[in-house]
């Protein structure tokens, strides 16, 4: 009798965890789709801007390699650039690594963006 109660408790707990993680997964997908939709419906803006900051976010992921062979670690980088518009407003955008490498703090030029989406930066020489 105790075994059945413990077994039932496990399935209830497992079911709740499955539902919670499923809801979080659906929420994160919905949030991403909503941001994509907002960006697509936003006007494309081009404005004079100056690069005032750059930063990188290092994400480290530890994975069990299984079969008692230890841990496996992977890393990924996320790149961000902060622009200051002529009116003093600052905007930070997620950019690709190749774009990040071509931009330097202090560069001035024309920024193009749509909502929270970085489109382009043309440096003035």
């Amino acid at each position: 009798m105790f075994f059945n109660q413990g077994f039932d408790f496990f399935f209830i707990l497992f079911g709740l965890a499955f539902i919670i993680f499923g809801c979080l997964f659906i929420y994160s997908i919905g949030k991403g789709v909503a941001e994509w939709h907002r960006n697509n419906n936003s006007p494309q803006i081009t404005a004079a801007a100056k690069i005032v900051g750059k930063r990188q976010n290092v994400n480290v992921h530890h994975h069990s390699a299984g079969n008692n062979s230890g841990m496996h670690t992977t890393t990924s980088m996320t790149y961000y650039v902060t622009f200051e518009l002529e009116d003093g407003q600052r905007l930070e955008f997620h950019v690709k690594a190749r774009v990040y490498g071509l931009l330097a703090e202090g560069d001035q030029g024309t920024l193009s963006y749509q909502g929270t989406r970085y489109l382009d930066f043309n440096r003035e020489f």
Side-chain angles (χ1 to χ4, degrees):
M1 182 168 183
F2 177 73
F3 177 73
N4 287 339
Q5 289 175 348
F7 199 64
D8 291 340
F9 177 73
F10 170 77
F11 276 109
I12 291 170
L13 192 60
F14 181 78
L16 285 174
F18 184 77
I19 290 169
I20 290 170
F21 285 117
C23 290
L24 289 173
F25 181 72
I26 291 169
Y27 172 76
S28 65
I29 288 175
K31 188 175 175 184
V33 168
E35 182 176 2
W36 176 81
H37 183 69
R38 269 192 314 275
N39 283 339
N40 285 345
N41 290 326
S42 296
Q44 290 187 6
I45 298 172
T46 301
K50 177 180 178 181
I51 298 175
V52 294
K54 292 173 63 175
R55 69 181 178 94
Q56 304 171 5
N57 186 25
V58 180
N59 299 307
V60 180
H61 307 279
H62 301 284
H63 308 279
S64 175
N67 299 330
N68 295 327
S69 59
M71 294 290 290
H72 174 72
T73 303
T74 58
T75 59
S76 62
M77 300 284 285
T78 309
Y79 301 94
Y80 299 92
V81 178
T82 302
F83 297 89
E84 184 174 315
L85 304 180
E86 288 181 321
D87 65 359
Q89 179 185 11
R90 290 186 176 206
L91 303 171
E92 182 178 63
F93 295 100
H94 172 257
V95 297
K96 296 183 182 202
R98 62 181 167 75
V99 171
Y100 182 87
L102 295 173
L103 301 176
E105 286 188 39
D107 284 352
Q108 293 185 2
T110 305
L111 170 67
S112 297
Y113 63 98
Q114 185 176 22
T116 61
R117 183 183 300 147
Y118 168 85
L119 298 176
D120 194 23
F121 181 74
N122 293 312
R123 185 180 309 119
E124 294 176 357
F125 293 100

